Each structure stands twice: as structure tokens, then as C-alpha cells.
């Protein structure tokens, strides 16, 4: 069992930056590929970024490449999403996800209901 708790959301102006954190509790954190997803009002949940359970590979949605960076700290069971050059379209609830031994493209493409664990989300609002 893994529990995920996101933090770091808030209100920022366009062009600003935020760093989201996801604290994981439970066993074998190092065996989970970790991802960030987001869901804007009236839209489906969408993939943002993932970091492989080995920690050496990352994968991003095209719309965040060059702006967002995902990283993990296996010693402290943490995952981060550094977001820069934010735009109003980035406004959404951001969710942390964990999928055991998953490949990066699997986390990016599988149905959300098939991912092992989810956090409750943190709201990011970007003002224009």
C-alpha cells in the first residue's frame, strides 16, 4: 500500500514558477514509476510527466517540455515537479501517481483507473 500526498500548489501569475511535491509513504518506493497528471475544470485527467522507478529516465507531455522538470528522491520517498514559465492553460488540479515497475510510456498512456495509486491533488491556478 502506498499513500501519496501532494503539496505546493497555489496562485501565481503567468510567467511565474511553482514547485510541487509529492510525499509517499509505504514500502518499496523505489519500485514505483512516479507520475504527475492534471485535470482542468471540465476536462479529462491528462498525463504531465513521469520518472522511471530506476530514476534515470523521464518522460513529458509535449505541452510541458522545456518548462517542467520531474525528479525523485528515493532516500526520502519524494517526487517533485518544478514548473516554470507557467501559462493560464496550466491551471488545474495536479495529481501524483505511482505505478509499480511500470514503463514510462505505460504510465503516460494507460487508463487512470489502471494506475496503482493516486494522491488527492493540489490546485494550481495561473492568472493572466
Amino acid at each position: 500500500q502506498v499513500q501519496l500526498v501532494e503539496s505546493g500548489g497555489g496562485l501565481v501569475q503567468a510567467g511565474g514558477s511553482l514547485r510541487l511535491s509529492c510525499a509517499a509513504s509505504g514500502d518499496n518506493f523505489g519500485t514505483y514509476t512516479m507520475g504527475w497528471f492534471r485535470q482542468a475544470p471540465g476536462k479529462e485527467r491528462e498525463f504531465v510527466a513521469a520518472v522511471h522507478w530506476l530514476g534515470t529516465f523521464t518522460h513529458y507531455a509535449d505541452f510541458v517540455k522545456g518548462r517542467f522538470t520531474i525528479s525523485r528522491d528515493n532516500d526520502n520517498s519524494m517526487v517533485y515537479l518544478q514548473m516554470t514559465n507557467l501559462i493560464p492553460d496550466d491551471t488545474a488540479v495536479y495529481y501524483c501517481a505511482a505505478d509499480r515497475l511500470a514503463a514510462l510510456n505505460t504510465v503516460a498512456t494507460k487508463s487512470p483507473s489502471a494506475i496503482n495509486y493516486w494522491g488527492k491533488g493540489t490546485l494550481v491556478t495561473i492568472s493572466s
Side-chain angles (χ1 to χ4, degrees):
Q1 189 79 6
V2 173
Q3 291 186 323
L4 305 172
V5 178
E6 303 93 336
S7 62
L11 171 64
V12 297
Q13 288 188 327
S17 300
L18 275 176
R19 187 196 196 203
L20 305 184
S21 300
C22 173
S25 60
D27 294 332
N28 301 314
F29 174 76
T31 65
Y32 286 86
T33 289
M34 301 299 297
W36 287 96
F37 292 71
R38 70 186 187 185
Q39 188 165 15
K43 295 187 177 181
E44 293 186 352
R45 192 169 298 190
E46 62 182 355
F47 169 76
V48 175
V51 55
H52 194 265
W53 56 274
L54 288 173
T56 53
F57 302 103
T58 57
H59 179 54
Y60 296 92
D62 286 344
F63 55 79
V64 301
K65 282 182 180 177
R67 300 191 299 126
F68 292 8
T69 303
I70 189 171
S71 60
R72 66 188 296 158
D73 177 355
N74 282 355
D75 290 337
N76 294 294
S77 299
M78 295 291 296
V79 182
Y80 304 99
L81 185 68
Q82 179 68 50
M83 305 187 295
T84 63
N85 195 20
L86 287 160
I87 60 177
D89 282 351
D90 292 323
T91 295
V93 177
Y94 283 71
Y95 297 91
C96 180
D99 209 36
R100 192 161 188 270
L101 298 176
L104 288 174
N105 59 346
T106 299
V107 171
T109 59
K110 71 191 314 184
S111 169
S113 63
I115 290 179
N116 294 153
Y117 300 104
W118 290 95
K120 295 185 182 301
T122 185
L123 177 62
V124 172
T125 304
I126 312 302
S127 63
S128 58

